[in-house]
Structure formats: C-alpha cells, structure tokens
Amino acid sequence: MFYKIIERKRDEWLNSPCCVVSDLISYIERQHKMRDAQIESIKTYLFLKIECKNQPLWELFASGKFNSTNVDDLEVNRATREILEVNPAALALWEYASISDENDNVNSPKIVAAIKKAPDSIDYTGVIKELFFNVTYPDYLFSIPMGAGKTYLMAALIYLNLYFALAEPDNPIFAHNFILFVPSGLKSSIVPSLRDIQNFNPLWILPDPVASNLRSLIQYE
C-alpha cells in the first residue's frame, strides 16, 4: 500500500518540468536493456533520492510529502476534518489506512474508525514511525519478482549513485562506496549471482563517455 501512495507522487514528479532525470529515464527506456520492473524501481529510487532528498520514509510520510487526498471530499465529522486539514501526518495515516486494494478492500478499517472516533487522541507521527519500525535512516526496500533481475538492478543503482556522486561530490545523498552483505548459509548460491554485478554494462543506463569512465574507475574487492 505504501508503494501505491509513493508511486502516485513519483509519477507526478517524473511528468513535471522540475524533474531532473527525465532525459536519463528516457535514455534507459530507449536502450531496451533493463526490464520493466527494474526501470520502475529505478524511477522510484531516483524520486526518493533526489526529489525526497533521501529522507527516511517515516519522515516523508509524516511531513505529508505523499499526501493527495482532498479533505473536502471526505465524509467525516467536523473534529476529524479539522485534524486532517492541519496535521499532514494525520492525513498521511488516513490515506494509508483508507486506500483500497484491487478487490476494493480498505487497507485498515480499524485505523480509519479510530481517526473518525477520536482524532485528537492519536499520536499520528508515532504511529507512522512504528509502521516503519522506528528506523532513523532511509530504509528503501525493493520487492520485485524472482527472475526480474535484482542483481543487475543493484548494479544499476550503484552506477547511478556514482554518476551523481561525481557530478555533486559534496552532496551526501549519493554514495561513493558500497558493501553487499550475503547470508553465510547461502554463500554457495548467492555469491556467484552477486558477482554478476561486475558484468553489468553501464551503457544500459548511462551514455558514453560517462559510462566508460565510471566503469574504469570502479574497483571490486
């Protein structure tokens, strides 16, 4: 459900004049080397990195970054309406709880009922923090189907970070180095797969001479 809310704002950004990666996304799509799921993940990642400034998800939701509900359209009492109008975290929690799945089932009717019943009694920011396990760092997790190319997606994100890090070396949101952790019990099956990162061709996502220059700079240990 979080993804559906983020995706809506992501697409607004991608289609807006202020989007700084539209040409880059167009280049990736024209190459026809990355799969649809990988491209969708790249779009979301760049949105969270650049437009959302790499903030933790709970902060983004609590600040109302992804809010799109028009409170005037809601059938709620006056007390609830006043809270939703002035508290972005309250509206964010309402959106999360009231969004429907493909079968039109409301995500969390209990939360919706609680907001309607006693809107002043809820610690909205605290609830949102708990939904994201109270972490204090950007914990972006990509869930894509088996066989969709998670290893090459990791490689793409590494190259994109390095590309922006070279362009803006003092910008802390872009990484200069990477560590991949592998469960020891699965070493025999996971490690060979992750070594495919070295075979990733950056030309699939970045034009030359940028791609070739980056590839020559990367060292694997």
Side-chain angles (χ1 to χ4, degrees):
M1 292 304 177
F2 288 120
Y3 177 71
K4 289 176 66 176
I5 296 172
I6 294 171
E7 182 185 36
R8 186 165 51 208
K9 287 297 182 179
R10 180 206 71 182
D11 290 346
E12 287 180 11
W13 176 68
L14 288 170
N15 293 315
S16 70
C18 64
C19 178
V20 297
V21 298
S22 54
D23 290 342
L24 177 61
I25 296 298
S26 296
Y27 172 85
I28 295 173
E29 292 174 335
R30 289 197 305 272
Q31 301 315 298
H32 299 294
K33 297 296 185 181
M34 304 298 288
R35 299 171 182 173
D36 290 345
Q38 293 169 322
I39 294 176
E40 288 300 299
S41 296
I42 289 171
K43 289 178 180 178
T44 303
Y45 184 75
L46 293 178
F47 170 64
L48 293 172
K49 269 278 186 179
I50 298 173
E51 173 63 12
C52 299
K53 307 196 183 303
N54 207 42
Q55 293 178 279
L57 284 174
W58 77 262
E59 288 187 7
L60 292 169
F61 271 90
S63 68
K65 179 66 177 180
F66 308 125
N67 290 351
S68 59
T69 297
N70 185 345
V71 179
D72 291 335
D73 295 335
L74 302 179
E75 295 182 2
V76 294
N77 59 40
R78 180 178 178 181
T80 301
R81 186 180 305 280
E82 289 177 351
I83 289 292
L84 296 179
E85 286 176 340
V86 301
N87 189 330
L91 186 58
L93 186 60
W94 174 277
E95 285 199 14
Y96 163 75
S98 61
I99 194 170
S100 300
D101 61 18
E102 59 275 7
N103 297 317
D104 288 329
N105 296 315
V106 175
N107 185 36
S108 181
K110 289 184 178 180
I111 293 180
V112 171
I115 295 175
K116 287 182 175 180
K117 182 179 180 180
D120 292 322
S121 66
I122 300 173
D123 177 7
Y124 294 99
T125 298
V127 173
I128 291 173
K129 278 186 178 181
E130 289 186 16
L131 289 172
F132 289 100
F133 305 103
N134 291 302
V135 297
T136 57
Y137 52 88
D139 55 332
Y140 307 151
L141 193 67
F142 292 93
S143 177
I144 61 177
M146 180 71 69
K150 290 184 283 292
T151 303
Y152 274 175
L153 174 59
M154 285 190 287
L157 299 182
I158 288 172
Y159 272 104
L160 288 170
N161 264 276
L162 295 175
Y163 166 67
F164 286 108
L166 285 175
E168 301 181 42
D170 297 324
N171 192 333
I173 71 173
F174 302 115
H176 295 253
N177 300 283
F178 295 83
I179 297 177
L180 301 179
F181 293 96
V182 182
S184 59
L186 301 174
K187 185 179 293 187
S188 60
S189 62
I190 299 295
V191 171
S193 175
L194 288 179
R195 292 190 189 281
D196 283 343
I197 287 177
Q198 299 183 50
N199 301 324
F200 181 82
N201 188 344
L203 277 170
W204 297 347
I205 59 168
L206 293 165
D208 254 344
V210 174
S212 297
N213 290 340
L214 278 177
R215 193 164 197 173
S216 67
L217 290 174
I218 291 182
Q219 296 181 354
Y220 297 94
E221 297 183 4

